[in-house]
Amino acid sequence: MIKFVIMAEQLVELNVTGMHCNNCAMSIHKLLEKKGLQDVLVSFASEEVKFSTGDRQTLPQIIKDIESLGFKVVDEANLQPTPFYDKVENKFIFCALFTAPLLLHMVLPWHFLHNQIVQLILCLPVFLMGCLHFGKSAFSSLKNGVPNMDVLIFIGSTSAFIYSLVGTVQNLGEHYLFYETCATIITLVLLGNVLEKRSVNQTTSAVKDLMKFQQVTANRVIKDGVEVVSAKEILSGDILLVNEGDQVPVDGDVLSGDSLINEAMITGEGIPVSKTKYDKVIGGTIVQQGNIRIMATKVGSNSTLSQIIDLMKKAQAAKPPVQKLGDKVAAIFVPVVILIALLTFVITYFATDAGLQRSMMNAIAVMVISCPCAMGLATPTAVMVGLGRAAKNGILIKGGDTIEAVANTKYVLFDKTGTLTTGKFGIIEIKPEEGFTMEQIRGVITAVEERSNHPIARSLVGGLQAYPQQKIILRTATEEKGLGMRAEDVDGNNYFLGMAKHKTPDHFNLTLYRNQVRMAQIAVDDTIKPDAASLIAQLKKTGITPVLVSGDKALRCKVLAATLGIKEVHAEMLPDDKLKVVDMYRKKGKTIMIGDGINDAPALTQADVGVSMNDASHIAIQSAKVILLNTDLKSVVKFLQISRHTLLTIKQNLFWAFAYNIVAIPVAALGFLNPMVGAFAMAFSDVIVIGNSIRLKSKRIAP
């Protein structure tokens, strides 16, 4: 069966196996574009092909054309294990068994191994396997006008086989036998495919690890008790029982019970979070202590985990601008290499009198050493590992292009509340009037604010608990919206705690009165995040200018900026004003905007890179290109470091891929490289590029 999902907008999703690198993905991409399909997205990492079409009836032909390129469209839901004979590992082992004796004849004096018929018998199964594995793909790619690397391998190995076969039929002697060259080329390239497949699996492990969290069972509460069901079967509104040690199957709200939940797979923070009635829980997190009963709220594709996986898949498929050069070269690579191989043959044969044998071996060496796959793998493998490492640190990057956009950042613009500050208010300073003590004032504030449900009131009460107070007993307390609290104590004293009646140039924004006599002025503000100062210092150390852009009062913004060491401040900014500020800085250099992802949405969209300081419940905000699930400011530094090192890895990979081909092709053309050595070098060029990308997984990352 074939899986495709057609949504209202006619979006088709296919699961396609057999893609080894970005060149494979490019061949499918070009095919679909030639057919006039829109919104084409091909990811060899997730084995997904997506496109939009207005005509469903063309689907069977589109699928047939994709399979004609040598790939296979499968139904992921009913995916059968790969047949034994179709596994690339088994193909390699099969070929290696016949190739080994062919190579041994070069070092062992056993007469029968030098027999041309024996060599033909040993080489034939390997050549036929090569025809099946590389030939079909090569022919289909040529037919569709998108030649791939298999064309080079097939022409090279076939040339060596036919040359040797002619020598055998005409009994021209051992100088015309190159069966071992044909077999070795095929076997070594298959070995490269095996190593490449395993390496690519490691680069895509982040998405696969997250997908494993979806494959769990759940205890669904029913009338007769509890039934065990798959997480995929859970519907919104179902009541689920989650016990200690269990994984929360889907997003939901806690109905009863208390627990400690490890949310590290979402936020990157290893400290368990306490959950009780009315709290939200996220699918995939682990209950470390306690038992809870939850009601499912977000299931299937609406769950936080599904959105994260979808974002990562899209991000892995998004190409950074640096990849465009590699794609352009890879697109014309195969025809150019074939042309170089032909010129090598002609020049060597006619200009140097080297003879047919030497000319052909040089041409074959050119074809088998060339490796467009290394260029095709250079960028996506580094991007996949970089995005995976970021995700494990609670950082969701929405596209590989975002990583390059972060490079050479000149300015980082910060919103104030919820970004550099916690959003939790506390008393910054109390200024008592003459005749009143600090203990009296604290006692009145606590007594009055205890009667209010306002978040700021609760913050003030909590902040004063640790300090000595003179207790009072209130008879009444009423809240006047937009003004403050009025109260009367048992002794008949009237109190008012609220907004300052007269604007003052200082930072005091609350005033406390007793019987219309001012007792104190109070400065209340949200508290600065613990890591804010060190973040600003690190940015400045790396040559990035921090800028505060806030809708808050100018004086409060200046106080915060002075505390953190920020020199450029834009206060009392409305959303439209923030857009103008972002535009102004973008004209000066690359600009990142960091905000809470809600009221800063326009500015986040306008910046080169928008970063949302948010929690998992707001993961779907589309305005930002980066979402920090863990609102710890250390995540900002980690994001910048991972992006910088990922881009560095991409550049290293591209350098190796280009340098390898620039050096190897002329060396092969000049006859300094045996085709077998060329095949070996080609097979491992991919592995070196992928290995460098995998190194990013555990590499020590510094600013």
Side-chain angles (χ1 to χ4, degrees):
M1 286 181 66
I2 296 160
K3 177 190 175 186
F4 53 87
V5 180
I6 304 182
M7 303 178 184
E9 63 273 19
Q10 303 293 303
L11 177 66
V12 179
E13 179 183 324
L14 302 173
N15 297 298
V16 180
T17 61
M19 291 187 283
H20 301 298
C21 70
N22 205 51
N23 292 305
C24 299
M26 280 173 59
S27 64
I28 296 176
H29 198 285
K30 287 180 180 177
L31 172 70
L32 298 179
E33 282 188 336
K34 280 184 178 180
K35 290 183 167 292
L37 299 171
Q38 302 297 317
D39 305 319
V40 178
L41 181 68
V42 184
S43 171
F44 81 89
S46 58
E47 297 187 325
E48 288 182 330
V49 174
K50 296 180 183 179
F51 55 87
S52 297
T53 179
D55 186 3
R56 301 185 188 189
Q57 295 180 351
T58 61
L59 278 174
Q61 184 59 45
I62 291 170
I63 291 166
K64 186 177 178 182
D65 290 339
I66 291 174
E67 292 190 328
S68 74
L69 289 174
F71 308 108
K72 190 171 180 62
V73 180
V74 298
D75 181 358
E76 192 177 48
N78 300 303
L79 188 61
Q80 299 297 319
T82 305
F84 178 85
Y85 57 83
D86 215 21
K87 289 183 178 179
V88 68
E89 294 88 349
N90 295 334
K91 289 180 179 180
F92 163 69
I93 293 170
F94 174 82
C95 291
L97 291 174
F98 290 95
T99 302
L102 277 172
L103 288 175
L104 286 175
H105 96 275
M106 300 170 70
V107 293
L108 294 176
W110 296 346
H111 180 70
F112 75 94
L113 287 178
H114 293 259
N115 186 292
Q116 56 189 10
I117 300 300
V118 172
Q119 290 188 23
L120 172 61
I121 292 170
L122 288 170
C123 180
L124 188 60
V126 180
F127 176 66
L128 293 175
M129 177 64 73
C131 289
L132 291 172
H133 188 79
F134 301 112
K136 182 183 176 184
S137 170
F139 177 75
S140 299
S141 70
L142 287 171
K143 187 175 72 173
N144 287 282
V146 280
N148 59 21
M149 190 194 75
D150 291 344
V151 173
L152 302 176
I153 305 304
F154 181 70
I155 293 175
S157 57
T158 302
S159 300
F161 182 80
I162 292 174
Y163 185 82
S164 303
L165 186 62
V166 170
T168 301
V169 171
Q170 296 184 3
N171 199 24
L172 298 175
E174 62 178 20
H175 293 297
Y176 283 81
L177 300 182
F178 290 94
Y179 289 117
E180 75 280 353
T181 300
C182 169
T184 304
I185 289 171
I186 293 169
T187 304
L188 285 177
V189 174
L190 284 172
L191 172 62
N193 287 348
V194 171
L195 297 173
E196 182 184 298
K197 178 183 174 184
R198 292 181 179 179
S199 299
V200 169
N201 283 340
Q202 289 187 55
T203 67
T204 58
S205 62
V207 170
K208 292 177 180 176
D209 288 346
L210 287 175
M211 292 177 75
K212 287 177 184 176
F213 285 108
Q214 295 180 309
Q215 301 163 2
V216 296
T217 57
N219 299 315
R220 182 161 60 190
V221 178
I222 54 176
K223 287 183 180 180
D224 303 329
V226 175
E227 64 173 349
V228 178
V229 296
S230 167
K232 293 180 180 178
E233 299 175 41
I234 298 171
L235 302 175
S236 182
D238 282 353
I239 309 300
L240 309 171
L241 181 64
V242 189
N243 298 317
E244 186 171 317
D246 287 352
Q247 185 176 301
V248 179
V250 293
D251 292 12
D253 293 333
V254 178
L255 297 176
S256 62
D258 297 285
S259 67
L260 288 175
I261 294 184
N262 187 334
E263 296 184 338
M265 53 79 62
I266 294 290
T267 64
E269 178 57 59
I271 300 173
V273 180
S274 176
K275 299 287 182 180
T276 187
K277 190 175 182 180
Y278 304 123
D279 286 338
K280 296 185 182 299
V281 292
I282 304 167
T285 55
I286 307 294
V287 179
Q288 286 195 340
Q289 184 179 319
N291 303 292
I292 51 175
R293 190 178 290 245
I294 68 170
M295 181 174 72
T297 55
K298 294 179 182 178
V299 299
S301 61
N302 294 321
S303 70
T304 298
L305 189 56
S306 291
Q307 288 182 27
I308 291 173
I309 291 169
D310 189 50
L311 280 175
M312 287 193 67
K313 284 181 178 179
K314 288 177 180 176
Q316 289 178 348
K319 297 179 181 180
V322 73
Q323 186 175 338
K324 291 178 181 177
L325 176 61
D327 285 352
K328 286 178 181 177
V329 174
I332 61 169
F333 189 88
V334 173
V336 169
V337 168
I338 292 174
L339 180 62
I340 293 171
L342 288 172
L343 287 173
T344 299
F345 177 83
V346 171
I347 293 171
T348 307
Y349 185 74
F350 291 104
T352 66
D353 293 326
L356 179 64
Q357 175 188 318
R358 178 71 182 274
S359 302
M360 192 185 72
M361 286 298 106
N362 288 2
I364 292 173
V366 168
M367 284 187 285
V368 298
I369 199 169
S370 307
C371 190
C373 270
M375 288 182 285
L377 289 165
T379 300
T381 52
V383 167
M384 283 183 279
V385 176
L387 294 178
R389 181 161 181 176
K392 288 183 177 180
N393 283 276
I395 304 164
L396 275 185
I397 302 173
K398 290 188 180 180
D401 51 345
T402 301
I403 288 173
E404 188 168 354
V406 172
N408 303 317
T409 298
K410 297 294 183 186
Y411 302 95
V412 175
L413 278 53
F414 292 93
D415 176 45
K416 176 177 172 284
T417 307
T419 303
L420 292 174
T421 62
T422 61
K424 296 178 181 178
F425 285 78
I427 294 175
I428 306 300
E429 185 182 350
I430 297 176
K431 182 181 179 183
E433 298 295 334
E434 190 176 343
F436 298 100
T437 67
M438 194 66 81
E439 287 77 9
Q440 280 180 296
I441 294 164
R442 291 182 189 134
V444 174
I445 294 172
T446 300
V448 172
E449 295 291 44
E450 277 180 339
R451 301 293 187 95
S452 173
N453 290 320
H454 196 281
I456 294 180
R458 290 200 293 269
S459 296
L460 297 183
V461 173
L464 291 173
Q465 283 179 348
Y467 296 95
Q469 303 175 13
Q470 184 177 315
K471 302 287 186 182
I472 66 167
I473 299 173
L474 297 181
R475 179 182 285 121
T476 61
T478 56
E479 186 169 357
E480 295 183 3
K481 287 187 178 180
L483 293 175
M485 293 286 295
R486 293 192 183 276
E488 182 184 353
D489 66 15
V490 292
D491 297 323
N493 295 307
N494 293 302
Y495 299 92
F496 174 78
L497 175 59
M499 302 297 292
K501 292 183 179 179
H502 305 288
K503 287 192 176 182
T504 56
D506 52 35
H507 63 294
F508 295 103
N509 46 12
L510 292 179
T511 310
L512 175 63
Y513 292 89
R514 186 178 74 177
N515 298 327
Q516 298 185 341
V517 176
R518 189 165 69 186
M519 293 180 70
Q521 294 180 78
I522 305 159
V524 175
D525 204 347
D526 51 348
T527 53
I528 300 172
K529 286 186 175 179
D531 299 311
S534 62
L535 167 61
I536 300 302
Q538 280 185 280
L539 290 177
K540 291 164 83 173
K541 189 177 178 181
T542 56
I544 297 173
T545 303
V547 182
L548 181 61
V549 183
S550 174
D552 210 342
K553 299 295 180 184
L555 183 63
R556 294 167 74 178
C557 288
K558 286 178 181 177
V559 170
L560 175 69
T563 304
L564 297 178
I566 299 175
K567 293 182 178 179
E568 299 190 30
V569 181
H570 301 268
E572 301 181 21
M573 294 279 109
L574 297 173
D576 287 347
D577 299 324
K578 288 186 177 183
L579 279 177
K580 293 174 185 175
V581 172
V582 170
D583 275 337
M584 180 182 74
Y585 280 101
R586 283 188 72 190
K587 289 175 184 176
K588 298 180 183 180
K590 285 279 184 72
T591 301
I592 295 175
M593 173 71 193
I594 303 178
D596 62 11
I598 301 169
N599 58 345
D600 296 309
L604 290 170
T605 306
Q606 189 77 359
D608 291 303
V609 176
V611 179
S612 173
M613 298 289 296
N614 230 310
D615 59 24
S617 61
H618 297 99
I619 189 68
I621 289 181
Q622 297 301 311
S623 53
K625 291 182 180 177
V626 179
I627 298 172
L628 306 180
L629 302 179
N630 181 357
T631 53
D632 187 335
L633 284 173
K634 288 179 182 176
S635 296
V636 177
V637 178
K638 186 69 74 175
F639 159 61
L640 294 173
Q641 291 171 346
I642 290 173
S643 297
R644 191 175 293 116
H645 281 271
T646 301
L647 186 61
L648 177 63
T649 302
I650 291 172
K651 290 178 178 178
Q652 290 171 344
N653 287 351
L654 286 172
F655 171 80
W656 163 254
F658 280 111
Y660 165 82
N661 284 290
I662 289 169
V663 173
I665 292 175
V667 169
L670 292 171
F672 295 119
L673 206 61
N674 183 286
M676 290 184 289
V677 177
F680 183 82
M682 188 278 289
F684 279 90
S685 63
D686 294 354
V687 178
I688 290 171
V689 166
I690 298 172
N692 190 45
S693 296
I694 293 173
R695 192 171 61 92
L696 186 60
K697 268 188 177 183
S698 54
K699 178 183 179 183
R700 183 181 177 274
I701 288 182

